[in-house]
Amino acid sequence: MKAIIPAAGLGTRLRPLTYTRPKPVLRVAGQPIIRHAIRTLQVAGITDIGVVVSDITREEIQHALRNVTGVDITLINQHEQLGLGHAVLTAREWVGDSDFCVYLGDNLFEFGALPFVEHFLAERPAALIALVEVADPSSFGVAEMEGERIVRLVEKPKNPPSKMAVAGLYCFTPEIFTVLDGMPASARGEYEITDGIQGLIERGHTVVGQAVKGWWKDTGRPADLLDANRLLLERIETDIRGTVEDSVLTGRVVVPPTARVTRSTIVGPVLLGEGVIIEDAYIGPFTSIGKGSVIRAAEVEHSVLDEGAIIENVHRRLQDCLIGVRARVSGNRIMPRTHKLTISDASVVELV
C-alpha cells in the first residue's frame, strides 16, 4: 500500500508564519508537521510515500524531508492547485495499481493511521474515510451514514446531514481515479475529493466511515499549532544529556547533548533542540524550542520556537507564542504581565 501527502498549498490561515514557508514544514514538538505525518504512515506499515508539491513549496518540503530514513519518498509536482481531488489525480501515474492512503499532512491523530489502514486492508472497500464528530460541521466534508457505510458525502454544506466530518485521512483502491478523471469542478472552481467519493457511492461501490478514536487536530490555525504541540509533548520522556548547571528541571524534559541550561528553571513537558542555550530563564510547560535557539533572561511557556530564535532581556512572561526561524524578541523595560505573539521567520520584535 502506498500513501499520498498533499503539500502544495500555501497555508494562508497560518500567515504570517506561512509567508516565507509552507505549512507542512512548520514545527510542532521539535519536528516539521510533515515528518509527524510520515512517521504515522511508517508505523502503519506504509513506506512508499508520494508528497504532492507545488513549484513554490517544493524546495522547502525537500529540505524538511532530508535525512528521513526508513521510507521511500517521491516528490510529485502539482503545477496548479485545483483542490484535493486534483492533487490525488496528479499522483495517479505514481500510484499505479496500488491501494493507497491520502493523509493530509497538517492533521494529527492520537492513534495515527494504523487503525484506518488495518480496517481498510481487512475489508477492502472502495474507500474508507476517517470521520470525527464536530459541533459545527458546515466547514467540513460531512457524511450521512447507514451503519458504517457512507451513503452521501457533501462538501461544506449549509444544512449538514450529520455531525460526522471528514477528518483528513482516506484509504482508496485505484477505482477512485476512474471517478476523478473527467469529474467537473465544484462551484468554487476546485476538484473536491468529496465529490469523487460521492461518485463512488453513486456507482454502487462500498464507502466506509470510521470514527476517530482519541484526539484529532487539524493544525490549520495558530492556536491549533500550539494545541498540537501540547498534545505531542504529552508523549515525551525525560532525557537529559546536555549540560545543566545551577538549574532546576522538573517534569518531563528533553535536553540533547549539545544543549546548555544555566541558572534556569524548566518545568516540563519541555523539549529543547540541539545547540539550544537557556540562561537565567524560566521555561514553562508545553514549550518546544528549536535547534540553535537562545533564551536568556526571559520567561516562556506554552509556546513553539523554531530554529535560531532568540529571546532575551524580556522581563515578563511570554506565553502562547509561535516564534519563527531566526526571529528575535528583546526588551529592557517594565511591560505588561504577558505577551501573545505570532512572529514569522527572520522577524525582529523589540519590547521597550
Side-chain angles (χ1 to χ4, degrees):
M1 192 171 185
K2 295 183 176 182
I4 298 169
I5 299 177
L10 299 178
T12 55
R13 291 183 299 167
L14 278 166
R15 288 176 177 170
L17 293 170
T18 51
Y19 273 125
T20 56
R21 291 180 296 154
K23 177 169 57 174
V25 308
L26 299 180
R27 289 175 179 261
V28 290
Q31 292 287 337
I33 297 170
I34 194 168
R35 286 209 179 202
H36 291 290
I38 288 171
R39 174 60 179 161
T40 289
L41 293 168
Q42 192 175 11
V43 169
I46 300 175
T47 58
D48 201 357
I49 299 171
V51 180
V52 179
V53 298
S54 65
D55 298 335
I56 294 173
T57 66
R58 182 184 181 92
E59 184 176 349
E60 287 284 354
I61 296 294
Q62 192 169 28
H63 181 72
L65 296 178
R66 70 195 189 283
N67 303 323
V68 172
T69 60
V71 294
D72 184 8
I73 296 175
T74 302
L75 299 186
I76 302 166
N77 289 321
Q78 183 189 19
H79 297 295
E80 292 183 277
Q81 285 68 68
L82 299 175
L84 181 55
H86 181 261
V88 172
L89 193 58
T90 299
R92 182 177 189 174
E93 183 177 348
W94 175 80
V95 170
D97 295 328
S98 299
D99 293 341
F100 65 101
C101 171
V102 177
Y103 187 101
L104 303 190
D106 57 355
N107 280 230
L108 296 169
F109 298 82
E110 182 174 3
F111 299 114
L114 182 60
F116 306 99
V117 171
E118 287 182 333
H119 189 178
F120 174 78
L121 292 176
E123 297 190 11
R124 203 167 179 270
L128 182 146
I129 316 300
L131 301 174
V132 62
E133 186 171 350
V134 297
D136 179 12
S138 61
S139 59
F140 297 86
V142 181
E144 183 178 340
M145 308 289 294
E146 288 183 2
E148 71 168 12
R149 291 190 63 167
I150 298 175
V151 296
R152 187 163 68 104
L153 196 64
V154 289
E155 181 68 22
K156 299 180 174 61
K158 292 182 179 179
N159 299 300
S162 77
K163 292 188 175 182
M164 299 304 293
V166 175
L169 189 150
Y170 315 76
C171 297
F172 294 111
T173 67
E175 188 66 32
I176 186 66
F177 292 121
T178 66
V179 181
L180 293 175
D181 192 6
M183 183 182 74
S186 67
R188 59 178 186 164
E190 295 189 351
Y191 298 91
E192 313 284 0
I193 194 67
T194 47
D195 290 344
I197 298 166
Q198 180 61 30
L200 287 174
I201 296 169
E202 292 171 356
R203 296 184 187 195
H205 294 287
T206 299
V207 175
V208 172
Q210 181 173 340
V212 173
K213 304 294 185 183
W215 55 256
W216 164 76
K217 286 301 300 181
D218 174 0
T219 57
R221 300 182 186 277
D224 299 321
L225 283 178
L226 289 171
D227 204 27
N229 185 67
R230 175 185 63 81
L231 292 166
L232 291 171
L233 288 183
E234 290 279 16
R235 300 177 172 181
I236 67 171
E237 300 294 337
T238 296
D239 184 11
I240 300 172
R241 291 181 286 166
T243 301
V244 178
E245 298 176 339
D246 301 323
S247 299
V248 177
L249 278 59
T250 59
R252 289 166 287 123
V253 179
V254 175
V255 182
T258 57
R260 187 174 77 243
V261 180
T262 307
R263 298 182 301 277
S264 297
T265 298
I266 300 180
V267 179
V270 167
L271 176 66
L272 306 186
E274 293 285 354
V276 166
I277 297 174
I278 308 294
E279 291 182 356
D280 303 304
Y282 167 82
I283 311 298
F286 305 112
T287 301
S288 59
I289 301 174
K291 176 182 176 182
S293 294
V294 176
I295 300 181
R296 183 179 289 117
E299 300 183 1
V300 181
E301 69 179 8
H302 198 258
S303 295
V304 178
L305 280 66
D306 216 317
E307 294 185 2
I310 298 175
I311 299 177
E312 56 186 356
N313 301 318
V314 177
H315 304 301
R316 290 295 184 270
R317 187 167 300 174
L318 302 180
Q319 66 183 43
D320 301 331
C321 296
L322 297 169
I323 309 295
V325 174
R326 298 185 304 279
R328 178 190 293 266
V329 180
S330 61
N332 57 14
R333 298 182 183 177
I334 300 299
M335 60 190 72
R337 291 181 60 84
T338 64
H339 295 273
K340 182 176 181 179
L341 306 172
T342 299
I343 301 174
S344 188
D345 305 349
S347 301
V348 176
V349 176
E350 295 184 4
L351 303 173
V352 296

